[in-house]
Amino acid sequence: MIKEELKLKEALIVEGGQKLEGVLEVSGAKNAALPNMAATILTDEEVVIDNIPDLLDIRTMEKLLTTIGIEINHIKNKTYSFKLKDLKSLTAPYDLVSKMRASILVLGPMLAKFGYAEVSLPGGCSIGTRPVDLHLKALEKMGADIKIEHGYIKASAPQGLKGAHIFFDKITVTGTENIMMAATLAHGKTVIENAALEPEVVDLALMLKKMGANIKGEGTHRIEIEGVKSLRGTYHTVIPDRIEAGTFAVLSALTGGKIIIKNYPNHYLEYVNEVLENIGISIINISENEVIVKRKDILKPVNIETKEYPLFPTDLQAQFMTLLCFADGVSEITENIFENRFMHVPELNRLGANIEIKGKTAIIKPVKKFSGASIKATDLRASAAMVIAGLVAEGETTIHSIYHLDRGYEHIDQKLKSIGAKIRREIIEEE
Ligand code: EPZ
């Protein structure tokens, strides 16, 4: 079998109950690096981006940009340069887009820079249909002609895009990012109402302003962008991954390890830290950007509703569900963002959890322990919850389909091994 297929057969074997001690370093945020990389399409000058995490999704975005004609050079460990050499293609092909729906982030920049773009429809993914209708409606309002043919979005704006007053009926993170990027080179002013507030959106705006874009209001629900003729190159550092950081906090609390977490972005996790506090887990700052996690003996149950930033992030839902299995009472988690983000529930129940789903709400009853079993990673963030569950389960847990994990967590098995976890990869035939 070719290597790629073997990848799909890779599994993680986790030995539970190990004492964990040491330092976990939070990497650059995948969901910041992806739009940061897409923004390099907007300029003919060189852009240098530092702290890019080593993830499958980053590799996919690299391939996408190279296909378009951007030359990417690896300068040193996590620093890459991006420079549009000669335009090679205006098509983001299905084989790449189907691997990563965030590929839609090249649509806005390509349309704004070149006046034309063909991007394969991303297709659904395991957590839901994930439509892009809000992206397309907004671009049409900016004067683009959009057709859907043979599974491809064909967008053209030969005279360039024009500023428009965009109202997003739903808060969309990549929708806000796509339109903000497109608007930087549009003729006139664009206003985005009901814009997303996520730190990754704010960070993208800061990068675009360093490139010469005229943006106001990032971090609020109303962003104003005055189009400019062209953008220049810049140097940008990817912000820390708040979801990886939150995942490490749950891991540390559950395993009772003496773990220092480096680059923990407290300012992006204020609400999450408050929920942890309510459960009985404190995040203690020990230096400028290092924290340790202290927990009380008894973990208290809480009710959580996933919402847009700055409230509880859907990307931490599975990890907190795993944690709340060990609280001393019944908790409820309601998933409001995606229609199918509870696939980890049957997997956790195989380990001994006692979770029942009622519509959008999971009811988590307390259990004393997990016992190791064969389980499956289901979506990118939930796969980390499976690893955490395996680390606290008695005996051995085999986690199948771990390519999900490699899409979103940089070298997580090496990071965990470095603090004493017994975890190894194996190629095994999936049943
Ligand atoms: C971003 O996805 C993140 N991905 C997701 O992280 C994250 O879970 C999500 O935001 C919510 O925080 C990236 O930033 C690359 P949305 P995005 O558009 O932008 C609906 C991960 O694991 N919607 O904010 O695709 C949509 O179906 C990923 O890193 C439309 O209906 O999410 C969802 O219900 C998973 N039409 C809601 O809005 C549209 O045109 C929010 O989606 C767009 C979205």
Side-chain angles (χ1 to χ4, degrees), residues 86-297:
D86 48 300
L87 185 58
K88 279 193 253 171
S89 160
L90 288 176
T91 300
Y94 174 74
D95 66 312
L96 288 177
V97 178
S98 59
K99 284 202 181 78
M100 180 188 68
R101 52 169 286 101
S103 311
I104 193 72
L105 284 168
V106 302
L107 177 62
M110 281 167 81
L111 198 49
K113 185 81 172 55
F114 308 113
Y116 187 79
E118 280 191 26
V119 177
S120 163
L121 274 171
C125 74
S126 58
I127 60 179
T129 48
R130 311 286 299 275
V132 289
D133 56 311
L134 301 177
H135 300 236
L136 304 183
K137 256 188 338 219
L139 289 170
E140 274 177 333
K141 202 163 175 194
M142 295 173 75
D145 172 58
I146 306 250
K147 289 193 197 58
I148 308 280
E149 279 169 13
H150 313 299
Y152 275 77
I153 300 161
K154 295 186 177 176
S156 69
Q159 271 69 43
L161 294 169
K162 58 186 188 339
H165 197 167
I166 306 293
F167 294 85
F168 276 135
D169 359 336
K170 270 190 189 172
I171 293 176
T172 161
V173 175
T174 49
T176 303
E177 291 165 346
N178 228 341
I179 299 311
M180 190 163 69
M181 287 191 280
T184 57
L185 297 177
H187 305 292
K189 177 176 177 178
T190 298
V191 177
I192 304 174
E193 306 281 4
N194 204 20
L197 310 180
E198 270 68 4
E200 295 75 23
V201 175
V202 174
D203 172 63
L204 175 64
L206 298 183
M207 175 184 175
L208 292 168
K209 294 206 282 193
K210 287 194 296 188
M211 294 168 73
N214 182 337
I215 301 174
K216 283 205 297 286
E218 66 275 9
T220 73
H221 284 306
R222 180 188 160 96
I223 301 178
E224 297 185 8
I225 306 106
E226 197 63 58
V228 293
K229 282 203 73 47
S230 65
L231 293 183
R232 54 180 181 269
T234 189
Y235 178 95
H236 192 70
T237 300
V238 177
I239 57 174
D241 191 322
R242 61 196 166 95
I243 303 303
E244 187 189 27
T247 304
F248 287 165
V250 167
L251 168 93
S252 178
L254 260 187
T255 56
K258 285 195 183 46
I259 298 170
I260 292 175
I261 305 173
K262 280 185 83 158
N263 304 333
Y264 188 92
N266 270 305
H267 44 307
Y268 300 150
L269 290 165
E270 278 164 13
Y271 188 81
V272 170
N273 288 353
E274 196 174 292
V275 173
L276 285 168
E277 214 44 70
N278 298 341
I279 297 171
I281 295 162
S282 305
I283 300 289
I284 318 272
N285 286 307
I286 52 170
S287 83
E288 160 71 5
N289 63 356
E290 284 183 342
V291 302
I292 52 167
V293 176
K294 276 186 114 40
R295 58 164 279 179
K296 297 204 175 74
D297 276 355

Side-chain angles (χ1 to χ4, degrees), residues 24-85:
L24 282 178
E25 185 150 354
V26 175
S27 303
K30 168 178 80 77
N31 292 351
L34 293 171
N36 292 165
M37 290 166 76
T40 64
I41 295 170
L42 293 165
T43 176
D44 295 322
E45 296 181 13
E46 183 182 66
V47 177
V48 175
I49 304 178
D50 186 16
N51 198 31
I52 293 186
D54 177 17
L55 300 168
L56 289 185
D57 276 8
I58 297 296
R59 302 283 85 80
T60 303
M61 182 59 88
E62 268 178 28
K63 283 186 198 129
L64 206 39
L65 296 178
T66 310
T67 306
I68 295 169
I70 291 182
E71 189 180 83
I72 301 176
N73 288 308
H74 185 198
I75 297 179
K76 63 178 173 41
N77 62 359
K78 292 179 184 268
T79 310
Y80 293 77
S81 70
F82 300 77
K83 187 159 178 4
L84 185 67
K85 275 280 174 266

